[in-house]
């Protein structure tokens, strides 16, 4: 449920809840209309946009644009899970979260996936040092799912750490398995299957999660509680190879969901957004498999090339010390954008300043060390030992390249 897993729920029956519905198709239609109404005259909830997008409800352009605006302005301060929700909603609406702009103004752009990758790295580092993430395992799972859905490279060591947390039962709370967290993690590992190694760790973690979700079925027809049932259904639908649909989809689950919808239990839009997709046999794993919401999913060759990932080593040599970082970026990323990624990762050594000239940006300082006309020094950029032939706003490093920013004399 939302960013935090559902553990204790207070049910509030609102006076303007859903009308009684006779079957799951009618209930799904009511939920869809209610979710669409919730987007009117207020900032869109990314989980609501994602849910509507998955069931092929047309998302109005102004809603998608507002989603972009919020992601650009507030993305750096969002938690990993909230940012992941925006990315999933945007890729479902056919927006490229790696090069997000407002009105095609590149100077207002932001790479949401690079930002989320940094946040995920901080979560994993906290797990390795403190045995728990900065936020919650639910948010970690959301972040992994969002990056995987858009084929953004995730470090193998991060995946291994996350899988180990599952095996150590660290996704539980006070000894109780959290169905919400487990379901989100199961969808994340399901996405990782086939594309990532260690394959055995992924398969073992996924198998354990699916078994735990299946064993969380209650006699009254819920999985966990009614509010965790939507995500649990999604996880089981996405992993039917483990437990076939006829086995887990007892009539009691559908009957109970329909009953609860009729009684207004899903009046909260975010809760409704989790139950609507599985009612129509959809899951979050479909967010990156084509565009919905009435938007064309055709990609140009340039966009498809940009989605390919490469690695670049970036070193700053100030004359006395070297500071290096290993980065994974999209093919076609220009050097100044790579410098910004390095700066966000470690501002102490990689922060930089530039001035705009008629020939493009000119780097005046890196790591707090300025170029000096008195000392006749300048920041020179090299591909290995060879000076780059164009400026930092035009140069696009190739896969495996080592770019060096060197304080040089003239």
């Amino acid at each position: 449920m939302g960013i935090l897993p559902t553990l204790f729920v207070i049910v509030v029956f609102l006076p303007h809840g859903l009308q009684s519905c006779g079957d799951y198709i009618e209930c799904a239609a009511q939920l869809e209309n209610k979710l669409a109404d919730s987007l009117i005259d207020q900032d869109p909830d990314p989980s609501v946009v994602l849910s509507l997008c998955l069931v092929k409800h047309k998302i109005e352009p102004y809603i998608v644009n507002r989603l972009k605006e919020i992601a650009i302005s507030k993305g750096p301060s969002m938690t990993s899970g909230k940012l992941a929700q925006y990315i999933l909603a945007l890729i479902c609406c056919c927006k490229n979260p790696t090069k997000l702009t407002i009105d095609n103004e590149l100077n207002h752009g932001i790479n949401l996936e690079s930002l989320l990758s940094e946040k995920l790295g901080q979560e994993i580092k906290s797990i390795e040092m403190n045995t728990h993430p900065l936020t919650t395992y639910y948010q970690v799972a959301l972040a992994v799912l969002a990056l995987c859905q858009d084929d953004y490279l995730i470090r193998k060591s991060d995946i291994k750490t996350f899988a180990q947390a599952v095996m150590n039962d660290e996704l539980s709370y006070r000894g109780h398995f959290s169905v919400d967290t487990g379901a989100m993690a199961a969808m994340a590992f399901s996405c990782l299957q086939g594309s990532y190694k260690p394959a055995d760790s992924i398969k073992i973690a996924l198998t354990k999660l699916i078994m735990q979700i299946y064993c969380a079925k209650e006699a009254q027809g819920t999985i966990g509680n009614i509010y965790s049932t939507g995500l649990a259904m999604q996880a089981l639908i996405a992993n039917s190879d483990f437990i076939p649909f006829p086995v887990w989809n007892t009539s009691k689950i559908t009957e109970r969901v329909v009953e609860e919808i009729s009684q207004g239990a899903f009046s909260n839009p975010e809760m409704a957004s989790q139950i609507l997709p599985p009612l129509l046999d959809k899951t979050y794993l479909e967010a990156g498999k084509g565009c919905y919401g009435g938007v064309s999913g055709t990609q140009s060759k340039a966009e498809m090339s940009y989605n390919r990932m490469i690695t670049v080593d970036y070193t700053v040599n100030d004359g006395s010390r070297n500071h290096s970082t290993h980065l994974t970026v999209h093919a076609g990323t220009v050097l100044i954008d790579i410098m910004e990624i390095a700066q966000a990762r470690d501002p102490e050594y990689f922060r930089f300043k530039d001035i705009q000239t008629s020939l493009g940006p000119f780097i005046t300082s890196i790591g707090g060390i300025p170029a000096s006309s008195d000392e006749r020094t300048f920041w020179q950029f090299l591909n290995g030992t060879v000076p780059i032939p164009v400026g930092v706003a035009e140069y696009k490093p190739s896969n495996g390249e080592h770019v060096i920013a060197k304080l040089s004399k003239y």
Side-chain angles (χ1 to χ4, degrees):
M1 180 180 72
I3 295 302
L4 295 176
T6 304
L7 297 172
F8 303 101
V9 177
I10 299 175
V11 179
V12 178
F13 293 96
L14 301 178
H16 300 293
L18 292 165
Q19 297 177 354
S20 177
C21 46
D23 57 33
Y24 76 94
I25 296 295
E26 186 179 343
C27 284
Q30 286 192 22
L31 284 179
E32 182 178 344
N33 291 334
K34 192 167 187 67
L35 288 177
D37 289 343
S38 75
L39 296 176
I40 299 173
D41 299 328
Q42 60 182 332
D43 284 342
D45 184 323
S47 64
V48 171
V49 174
L50 173 60
S51 179
L52 289 172
C53 204
L54 288 173
V55 300
K56 301 189 178 181
H57 182 96
K58 180 174 175 58
I59 309 297
E60 295 296 335
Y62 79 88
I63 292 175
V64 179
N65 287 336
R66 182 55 186 154
L67 209 65
K68 288 167 51 182
E69 291 171 359
I70 296 171
I72 290 172
S73 63
K74 298 182 179 181
S77 62
M78 289 179 185
T79 63
S80 58
K82 178 57 70 174
L83 182 59
Q85 286 183 335
Y86 276 86
I87 289 175
L88 285 170
L90 287 166
I91 63 176
C92 195
C93 294
C94 302
K95 299 301 176 183
N96 183 353
T98 64
K99 205 170 185 180
L100 210 59
T101 61
I102 300 175
D103 297 330
N104 294 320
E105 296 182 17
L106 293 179
N107 58 316
H108 290 154
I110 187 172
N111 186 331
L112 292 186
E113 290 186 347
S114 174
L115 181 61
L116 181 58
S117 179
E118 294 291 333
K119 291 179 184 289
L120 176 60
Q122 294 167 7
E123 300 270 24
I124 296 296
K125 184 176 180 180
S126 178
I127 293 172
E128 293 171 343
M129 295 179 63
N130 308 310
T131 70
H132 59 77
L134 290 176
T135 56
T136 65
Y137 278 106
Y138 184 96
Q139 298 205 47
V140 173
L142 252 175
V144 171
L145 177 62
L147 291 172
C148 178
Q149 280 296 96
D150 207 34
D151 297 324
Y152 195 92
L153 189 65
I154 306 171
R155 293 193 307 175
K156 295 178 183 177
S157 59
D158 291 353
I159 296 170
K160 189 173 182 179
T161 297
F162 188 29
Q164 191 60 50
V166 172
M167 299 312 299
N168 292 341
D169 286 321
E170 292 173 16
L171 275 62
S172 297
Y173 180 79
R174 295 182 179 177
H176 297 285
F177 176 66
S178 171
V179 175
D180 303 67
T181 302
M184 192 61 72
M187 285 190 278
F189 281 114
S190 182
C191 180
L192 293 171
Q193 278 197 120
S195 302
Y196 283 87
K197 295 180 179 180
D200 289 344
S201 296
I202 292 171
K203 185 174 182 179
I204 292 170
L206 179 56
T207 303
K208 178 172 182 175
L209 288 167
I210 293 301
M211 293 300 109
Q212 288 176 306
I213 293 168
Y214 180 71
C215 291
K217 283 199 317 174
E218 301 288 346
Q220 68 270 29
T222 59
I223 307 175
N225 60 52
I226 190 60
Y227 297 106
S228 60
T229 298
L231 288 177
M233 290 172 68
Q234 291 193 49
L236 292 173
I237 291 170
N239 293 281
S240 59
D241 289 346
F242 290 90
I243 299 179
F245 183 81
V247 175
W248 67 263
N249 189 42
T250 62
S251 58
K252 281 189 176 181
I253 295 179
T254 305
E255 290 173 3
R256 182 64 188 276
V257 168
V258 169
E259 178 185 347
E260 293 289 344
I261 292 173
S262 298
Q263 293 179 0
F266 293 94
S267 295
N268 179 287
E270 188 167 358
M271 295 175 184
S273 71
Q274 295 176 355
I275 198 70
L276 176 60
L279 280 177
L280 299 176
D281 203 31
K282 301 289 184 182
T283 77
Y284 291 166
L285 283 167
E286 296 178 59
K289 301 190 184 330
C291 297
Y292 297 105
V295 186
S296 170
T298 303
Q299 281 187 312
S300 67
K301 289 183 179 180
E303 287 175 321
M304 288 188 286
S305 174
Y306 187 80
N307 282 332
R308 184 171 60 86
M309 305 304 298
I310 63 170
T311 59
V312 176
D313 289 306
Y314 174 55
T315 295
V316 172
N317 181 342
D318 61 16
S320 59
R321 295 176 299 173
N322 285 328
H323 301 288
S324 300
T325 185
H326 183 73
L327 303 171
T328 300
V329 300
H330 284 275
T333 302
V334 295
L335 178 53
I336 195 167
D337 288 343
I338 292 173
M339 293 171 66
E340 288 179 351
I341 295 171
Q343 176 178 248
R345 174 174 292 184
D346 194 340
E348 180 180 356
Y349 298 120
F350 299 112
R351 70 184 186 277
F352 68 92
K353 294 181 180 179
D354 66 280
I355 57 174
Q356 290 297 322
T357 72
S358 59
L359 299 177
F362 179 77
I363 305 301
T364 60
S365 170
I366 300 179
I369 300 175
S372 170
S373 57
D374 293 336
E375 298 181 8
R376 299 175 64 82
T377 59
F378 73 105
W379 282 101
Q380 182 183 29
F381 290 86
L382 310 167
N383 171 7
T385 59
V386 180
I388 65 173
V390 292
V392 293
E394 301 173 74
Y395 187 68
K396 300 176 181 179
S398 56
N399 186 37
E401 188 167 318
H402 187 184
V403 178
I404 301 171
K406 182 178 181 180
L407 189 64
S408 304
K409 286 187 175 288
Y410 59 89

